[in-house]
mmCIF file of all heavy atoms in Angstrom:
data_model
loop_
_atom_site.group_PDB
_atom_site.id
_atom_site.type_symbol
_atom_site.label_atom_id
_atom_site.label_comp_id
_atom_site.label_asym_id
_atom_site.label_seq_id
_atom_site.Cartn_x
_atom_site.Cartn_y
_atom_site.Cartn_z
ATOM 1 N N GLU A 33 -3.581 -12.596 -9.031
ATOM 2 C CA GLU A 33 -3.597 -11.334 -8.283
ATOM 3 C C GLU A 33 -4.001 -10.180 -9.201
ATOM 4 O O GLU A 33 -3.314 -9.171 -9.279
ATOM 5 C CB GLU A 33 -2.218 -11.070 -7.685
ATOM 6 C CG GLU A 33 -1.721 -12.164 -6.768
ATOM 7 C CD GLU A 33 -0.280 -11.966 -6.355
ATOM 8 O OE1 GLU A 33 0.306 -10.912 -6.677
ATOM 9 O OE2 GLU A 33 0.268 -12.870 -5.714
ATOM 10 N N PHE A 34 -5.137 -10.326 -9.875
ATOM 11 C CA PHE A 34 -5.544 -9.331 -10.869
ATOM 12 C C PHE A 34 -5.741 -7.946 -10.247
ATOM 13 O O PHE A 34 -5.394 -6.939 -10.853
ATOM 14 C CB PHE A 34 -6.818 -9.769 -11.591
ATOM 15 C CG PHE A 34 -7.249 -8.796 -12.642
ATOM 16 C CD1 PHE A 34 -6.561 -8.717 -13.846
ATOM 17 C CD2 PHE A 34 -8.299 -7.924 -12.419
ATOM 18 C CE1 PHE A 34 -6.933 -7.802 -14.820
ATOM 19 C CE2 PHE A 34 -8.682 -7.012 -13.387
ATOM 20 C CZ PHE A 34 -7.991 -6.951 -14.593
ATOM 21 N N ALA A 35 -6.282 -7.887 -9.037
ATOM 22 C CA ALA A 35 -6.511 -6.584 -8.397
ATOM 23 C C ALA A 35 -5.187 -5.850 -8.173
ATOM 24 O O ALA A 35 -5.101 -4.633 -8.388
ATOM 25 C CB ALA A 35 -7.249 -6.761 -7.078
ATOM 26 N N ASP A 36 -4.151 -6.567 -7.763
ATOM 27 C CA ASP A 36 -2.843 -5.947 -7.558
ATOM 28 C C ASP A 36 -2.248 -5.467 -8.880
ATOM 29 O O ASP A 36 -1.665 -4.382 -8.957
ATOM 30 C CB ASP A 36 -1.887 -6.932 -6.891
ATOM 31 C CG ASP A 36 -2.277 -7.243 -5.461
ATOM 32 O OD1 ASP A 36 -2.986 -6.416 -4.847
ATOM 33 O OD2 ASP A 36 -1.881 -8.314 -4.962
ATOM 34 N N VAL A 37 -2.396 -6.280 -9.910
ATOM 35 C CA VAL A 37 -1.883 -5.920 -11.233
ATOM 36 C C VAL A 37 -2.594 -4.671 -11.752
ATOM 37 O O VAL A 37 -1.958 -3.746 -12.255
ATOM 38 C CB VAL A 37 -2.055 -7.112 -12.203
ATOM 39 C CG1 VAL A 37 -1.797 -6.699 -13.628
ATOM 40 C CG2 VAL A 37 -1.138 -8.250 -11.800
ATOM 41 N N LEU A 38 -3.904 -4.637 -11.621
ATOM 42 C CA LEU A 38 -4.679 -3.476 -12.057
ATOM 43 C C LEU A 38 -4.269 -2.229 -11.283
ATOM 44 O O LEU A 38 -4.095 -1.147 -11.861
ATOM 45 C CB LEU A 38 -6.175 -3.743 -11.882
ATOM 46 C CG LEU A 38 -7.124 -2.618 -12.263
ATOM 47 C CD1 LEU A 38 -7.022 -2.310 -13.746
ATOM 48 C CD2 LEU A 38 -8.542 -2.984 -11.885
ATOM 49 N N TYR A 39 -4.084 -2.369 -9.972
ATOM 50 C CA TYR A 39 -3.670 -1.231 -9.153
ATOM 51 C C TYR A 39 -2.304 -0.702 -9.592
ATOM 52 O O TYR A 39 -2.101 0.513 -9.664
ATOM 53 C CB TYR A 39 -3.645 -1.648 -7.683
ATOM 54 C CG TYR A 39 -3.246 -0.534 -6.751
ATOM 55 C CD1 TYR A 39 -4.113 0.523 -6.492
ATOM 56 C CD2 TYR A 39 -1.998 -0.529 -6.143
ATOM 57 C CE1 TYR A 39 -3.744 1.551 -5.652
ATOM 58 C CE2 TYR A 39 -1.622 0.491 -5.295
ATOM 59 C CZ TYR A 39 -2.502 1.530 -5.045
ATOM 60 O OH TYR A 39 -2.142 2.553 -4.217
ATOM 61 N N GLU A 40 -1.375 -1.597 -9.894
ATOM 62 C CA GLU A 40 -0.049 -1.160 -10.325
ATOM 63 C C GLU A 40 -0.121 -0.377 -11.632
ATOM 64 O O GLU A 40 0.561 0.632 -11.801
ATOM 65 C CB GLU A 40 0.879 -2.362 -10.470
ATOM 66 C CG GLU A 40 1.298 -2.949 -9.144
ATOM 67 C CD GLU A 40 2.136 -4.196 -9.294
ATOM 68 O OE1 GLU A 40 2.249 -4.742 -10.422
ATOM 69 O OE2 GLU A 40 2.672 -4.664 -8.279
ATOM 70 N N VAL A 41 -0.955 -0.833 -12.548
ATOM 71 C CA VAL A 41 -1.093 -0.116 -13.818
ATOM 72 C C VAL A 41 -1.759 1.238 -13.580
ATOM 73 O O VAL A 41 -1.359 2.252 -14.154
ATOM 74 C CB VAL A 41 -1.879 -0.950 -14.850
ATOM 75 C CG1 VAL A 41 -2.176 -0.141 -16.091
ATOM 76 C CG2 VAL A 41 -1.104 -2.204 -15.210
ATOM 77 N N LEU A 42 -2.763 1.286 -12.728
ATOM 78 C CA LEU A 42 -3.429 2.559 -12.435
ATOM 79 C C LEU A 42 -2.483 3.553 -11.765
ATOM 80 O O LEU A 42 -2.627 4.759 -11.946
ATOM 81 C CB LEU A 42 -4.657 2.326 -11.557
ATOM 82 C CG LEU A 42 -5.848 1.663 -12.251
ATOM 83 C CD1 LEU A 42 -6.946 1.363 -11.241
ATOM 84 C CD2 LEU A 42 -6.372 2.519 -13.375
ATOM 85 N N MET A 43 -1.516 3.054 -11.000
ATOM 86 C CA MET A 43 -0.541 3.940 -10.359
ATOM 87 C C MET A 43 0.300 4.689 -11.387
ATOM 88 O O MET A 43 0.793 5.788 -11.123
ATOM 89 C CB MET A 43 0.367 3.158 -9.407
ATOM 90 C CG MET A 43 -0.307 2.776 -8.125
ATOM 91 S SD MET A 43 0.758 2.095 -6.819
ATOM 92 C CE MET A 43 2.086 1.325 -7.626
ATOM 93 N N LEU A 44 0.460 4.125 -12.573
ATOM 94 C CA LEU A 44 1.233 4.798 -13.613
ATOM 95 C C LEU A 44 0.566 6.095 -14.065
ATOM 96 O O LEU A 44 1.236 7.012 -14.524
ATOM 97 C CB LEU A 44 1.417 3.874 -14.819
ATOM 98 C CG LEU A 44 2.301 2.658 -14.590
ATOM 99 C CD1 LEU A 44 2.279 1.770 -15.827
ATOM 100 C CD2 LEU A 44 3.717 3.060 -14.251
#
Side-chain angles (χ1 to χ4, degrees):
E33 302 172 7
F34 181 75
D36 292 337
V37 169
L38 179 63
Y39 181 72
E40 287 176 350
V41 173
L42 288 174
M43 285 190 332
L44 292 174

